[in-house]
Amino acid sequence: MEKIKKSQIKTHRLVFYLVFLAITTVSIIFYDNIFGEESWFNQAVSGNDGVNMLFGLIPSAVKTIQILTIAWTLSILLRFTISQIMHANKRNVTIVKMINSFLRYIIAIVAILLVLSAWGVDAGALVASAGILGIVVGLGAQSLIADIIAGIFIVFERVYQVGDYVVVDGWRGRVDEIGIRTTKIVDVGGNVKVVNNSMITTVINQTKELSLARSIVS
């Protein structure tokens, strides 16, 4: 059932991506007609001001789709390239997943700023304001920084890697993903435990060395 849901989600994402890609392609072909001085959307279509205003917002909506499509495509290409370069061993798989997680955050932030610019928001002033607020927010983001640093140490000290079987706080399962903030562990029942990296103080790695199992037969 879970595999079917994942397959459906992937199908829906693919459909959305193809639709966005088609709109982006058409908008590039008719770029001057959509965004130029003689844009189709600079003309009034009715005597209703509300309708004309909505009609005039179409270029911004198309620009938003362009930005999202480019960001989506760039994310796919970068993650695919990194995966192909670093697929030799299990440690590389772990590093790839962490890098992919980091890239998703960076691309998403840049895409959001560009989308805001497309709708007339001064992104430069927003970034400057964010820099000032960053000092204040940083005081409350100590746990986030701790999670990121802990995740880096987990990967490069090889405490555990993707695919290892570990026990964390009494929860035994297979490490499914090590992100920049959290680690996902899946147990035999398919349940997923998400743990902040900085909260993992003790861990038993049952994959590094051979384990002993005691069986009582009566």
Side-chain angles (χ1 to χ4, degrees):
M1 192 66 175
E2 185 178 352
K3 290 183 178 180
I4 294 175
K5 287 183 179 179
K6 287 183 179 180
S7 177
Q8 290 176 342
I9 291 172
K10 287 182 179 179
T11 302
H12 293 159
R13 285 179 180 175
L14 179 60
V15 170
F16 274 112
Y17 177 73
L18 291 176
V19 171
F20 277 25
L21 186 61
I23 294 174
T24 300
T25 303
V26 172
S27 66
I28 291 173
I29 295 173
F30 296 99
Y31 188 88
D32 292 334
N33 301 104
I34 298 174
F35 304 106
E37 294 181 358
E38 299 181 357
S39 170
W40 296 328
F41 305 100
N42 290 336
Q43 306 171 9
V45 293
S46 71
N48 190 312
D49 292 338
V51 173
N52 290 331
M53 183 184 71
L54 292 175
F55 188 68
L57 292 176
I58 291 178
S60 296
V62 174
K63 179 68 72 174
T64 299
I65 292 175
Q66 283 183 341
I67 294 167
L68 294 177
T69 304
I70 293 172
W72 202 341
T73 304
L74 184 62
S75 176
I76 292 172
L77 290 176
L78 286 176
R79 288 157 60 188
F80 175 77
T81 302
I82 293 170
S83 298
Q84 292 301 307
I85 293 173
M86 304 177 65
H87 71 285
N89 55 53
K90 189 163 47 173
R91 186 189 181 196
N92 286 348
V93 171
T94 304
I95 295 174
V96 165
K97 290 206 171 188
M98 177 169 277
I99 293 174
N100 286 344
S101 178
F102 180 75
L103 284 175
R104 281 198 295 267
Y105 281 103
I106 295 298
I107 292 174
I109 291 171
V110 173
I112 289 171
L113 291 175
L114 292 175
V115 168
L116 290 174
S117 297
W119 290 94
V121 178
D122 188 352
L126 189 63
V127 170
S129 300
I132 297 172
L133 291 174
I135 300 174
V136 178
V137 175
L139 297 175
Q142 294 179 5
S143 60
L144 173 62
I145 296 171
D147 289 334
I148 294 173
I149 294 174
I152 292 172
F153 277 113
I154 287 171
V155 171
F156 287 97
E157 290 186 358
R158 304 180 71 175
V159 177
Y160 53 79
Q161 303 174 60
V162 172
D164 285 358
Y165 283 87
V166 298
V167 180
V168 176
D169 296 331
W171 181 283
R172 183 183 185 278
R174 178 180 55 80
V175 178
D176 182 62
E177 180 180 340
I178 304 174
I180 61 173
R181 288 189 58 250
T182 61
T183 293
K184 295 180 182 178
I185 305 171
V186 184
D187 68 4
V188 292
N191 302 302
V192 180
K193 182 180 181 68
V194 181
V195 190
N196 284 24
N197 292 329
S198 62
M199 298 298 291
I200 303 175
T201 55
T202 58
V203 56
I204 301 173
N205 191 325
Q206 298 182 322
T207 301
K208 279 191 173 182
E209 303 292 341
L210 295 175
S211 300
L212 297 177
R214 178 179 295 178
S215 178
I216 300 175
V217 180
S218 58

